Amino acid sequence: MAKKLVIKVTAGADAPERCSQAFTVAAVAVASGVEVSLWLTGESAWFALPGKAAEFELPHSAPLPDLIEGIMAGGRITLCTQCAARRDIAEKDVLEGVRIAGAQVFVSEAMADGVQALVY
């Protein structure tokens, strides 16, 4: 099993099942003791903002705020630099604990030894 899981979620409310799957896999991995780095890109970038996850609904899925809380408890959430800039999201705007970083950091994380990378 990979020592670390790097997940890039590109979908938000525009593709709710894909979005929910990414957050669910990340939360389950953290709960299983896997080191997780979840990257918010594209439309998922909005979930870095306070209150936005509570607006997300998908029947028969865990509430997104609960999944985010689980991920943050033992993992890391990163908002893509360019995605944030395109949406006028600054560091002062994001949930506590969410960092903003770019492609260089993503590639560095994804290419490290013992890492499995997934894109949703």
Side-chain angles (χ1 to χ4, degrees):
M1 177 183 278
K3 296 176 187 170
K4 184 172 182 179
L5 186 59
V6 176
I7 300 173
K8 180 184 274 195
V9 55
T10 62
D14 58 325
E17 286 184 301
R18 191 162 29 112
C19 176
S20 180
Q21 289 169 358
F23 282 92
T24 300
V25 167
V28 168
V30 167
S32 300
V34 175
E35 185 180 346
V36 173
S37 177
L38 178 73
W39 283 73
L40 305 177
T41 67
E43 286 302 297
S44 72
W46 295 114
F47 298 125
L49 298 175
K52 286 294 187 179
E55 298 172 7
F56 180 86
E57 291 184 20
L58 181 64
H60 309 292
S61 65
L64 205 53
D66 294 349
L67 295 173
I68 290 172
E69 184 178 325
I71 296 163
M72 295 291 281
R76 163 171 264 165
I77 296 179
T78 304
L79 171 59
C80 162
T81 302
Q82 290 181 9
C83 301
R86 281 190 282 273
R87 290 160 180 82
D88 293 321
I89 299 172
E91 282 192 46
K92 66 177 178 50
D93 302 320
V94 300
L95 295 165
E96 184 177 341
V98 171
R99 72 174 173 169
I100 297 177
Q104 179 183 5
V105 176
F106 176 80
V107 170
S108 175
E109 285 187 8
M111 297 305 296
D113 289 337
V115 172
Q116 173 68 50
L118 302 172
V119 178
Y120 285 88

